[in-house]
Amino acid sequence: KQEVTQIPAALSVPEGENLVLNCSFTDSAIYNLQWFRQDPGKGLTSLLLIQSSQREQTSGRLNASLDKSSGRSTLYIAASQPGDSATYLCAVNSNSGYALNFGKGTSLLVTP
Amino acid sequence: DARVTQTPRHKVTEMGQEVTMRCQPILGHNTVFWYRQTMMQGLELLAYFRNRAPLDDSGMPKDRFSAEMPDATLATLKIQPSEPRDSAVYFCASGLNTASEAFFGQGTRLTVV
């Protein structure tokens, strides 16, 4: 069964800092990996989708990388802002399961 | 603006009552998922449909939970009878196909007292 781990569980940074969120998974046979953002009491918003054949995807200040062989993905947030405060979730779509397996998330707080 | 729509957004019910949650996937999406989110367990897959056929419901307590897709525009998740341990946020998500981006609804927050 695919296991997805996110480190750190919580992170607090001052505004303007660049930061990296980490995601690791145990089974490298994946279709894709997706990063989501969740605000308190809200649903999940898709941020980036990386197919298994890709190495990275970028959207604005966000950059996600994928190293399938080592079972790792990182989400890089440049020039963080207080509005980036949320929980960030990593989810892996495995060849065997066809549904997303989620990590527990990283709770990010960006202070003014 | 295409989005996954879930109703109701909030539900408070007494133990033993039947609960029905509804989801309207994005038009044209052929995969639908039901997830449950709790503080302790995070997001857990309950059921997965492709072209309205259930492919995986191994995460669902079979004795009390049931999931169906009566048609391509409606997915339902029923709990009967409900128990306090079912209190959680239930999310529906849809995607174009198995390996495409998944889009989530706003969730149904269920409280069973």
Side-chain angles (χ1 to χ4, degrees):
Chain A
K1 180 180 181 291
Q2 180 76 267
E3 300 288 339
V4 182
T5 303
Q6 291 188 247
I7 294 173
L11 182 63
S12 180
V13 300
E15 181 177 8
E17 275 203 6
N18 303 323
L19 56 100
V20 174
L21 308 181
N22 296 292
C23 172
S24 62
F25 47 95
T26 54
D27 183 356
S28 62
I30 66 171
Y31 275 121
N32 57 51
L33 183 145
Q34 200 166 348
W35 282 94
F36 293 88
R37 168 187 173 137
Q38 186 175 29
D39 293 284
K42 304 292 186 182
L44 280 68
T45 300
S46 178
L47 296 174
L48 290 163
L49 171 72
I50 311 179
Q51 300 292 351
S52 61
S53 58
Q54 298 174 320
R55 296 283 296 188
E56 65 178 301
Q57 282 286 341
T58 298
S59 176
R61 295 183 292 108
L62 305 180
N63 176 277
S65 67
L66 174 64
D67 184 342
K68 201 171 61 167
S69 62
S70 67
R72 293 180 183 178
S73 175
T74 61
L75 179 67
Y76 176 82
I77 302 177
S80 58
Q81 303 171 357
D84 295 329
S85 299
T87 296
Y88 291 80
L89 293 154
C90 167
V92 176
N93 188 343
S94 303
N95 291 0
S96 59
Y98 302 104
L100 292 172
N101 289 286
F102 281 85
K104 294 289 179 66
T106 294
S107 178
L108 173 65
L109 176 64
V110 181
T111 56
Chain B
D1 182 24
R3 65 181 69 182
V4 176
T5 303
Q6 290 187 246
T7 57
R9 290 293 311 280
H10 303 272
K11 176 72 175 179
V12 180
T13 191
E14 291 184 347
M15 183 173 63
Q17 296 297 305
E18 177 178 300
V19 175
T20 299
M21 290 169 270
R22 293 177 174 81
C23 167
Q24 180 177 1
I26 293 174
L27 191 64
H29 283 192
N30 73 0
T31 57
V32 174
F33 309 91
W34 283 103
Y35 284 87
R36 175 170 62 185
Q37 186 177 40
T38 61
M39 288 293 292
M40 291 297 294
Q41 300 296 327
L43 277 154
E44 303 172 284
L45 178 69
L46 295 175
Y48 162 54
F49 291 80
R50 187 168 64 201
N51 294 323
R52 295 176 56 201
L55 290 191
D56 184 356
D57 60 2
S58 58
M60 207 162 60
K62 302 291 193 304
D63 57 338
R64 298 184 301 108
F65 285 59
S66 63
E68 296 179 342
M69 279 200 75
D71 60 60
T73 65
L74 177 64
T76 62
L77 179 66
K78 290 186 181 180
I79 308 174
Q80 168 63 15
S82 57
E83 298 180 1
R85 60 179 167 151
D86 300 329
S87 297
V89 181
Y90 291 80
F91 286 105
C92 175
S94 71
L96 265 176
N97 54 54
T98 301
S100 67
E101 189 174 11
F103 295 87
F104 278 71
Q106 291 298 297
T108 293
R109 182 174 296 275
L110 174 65
T111 303
V112 183
V113 298

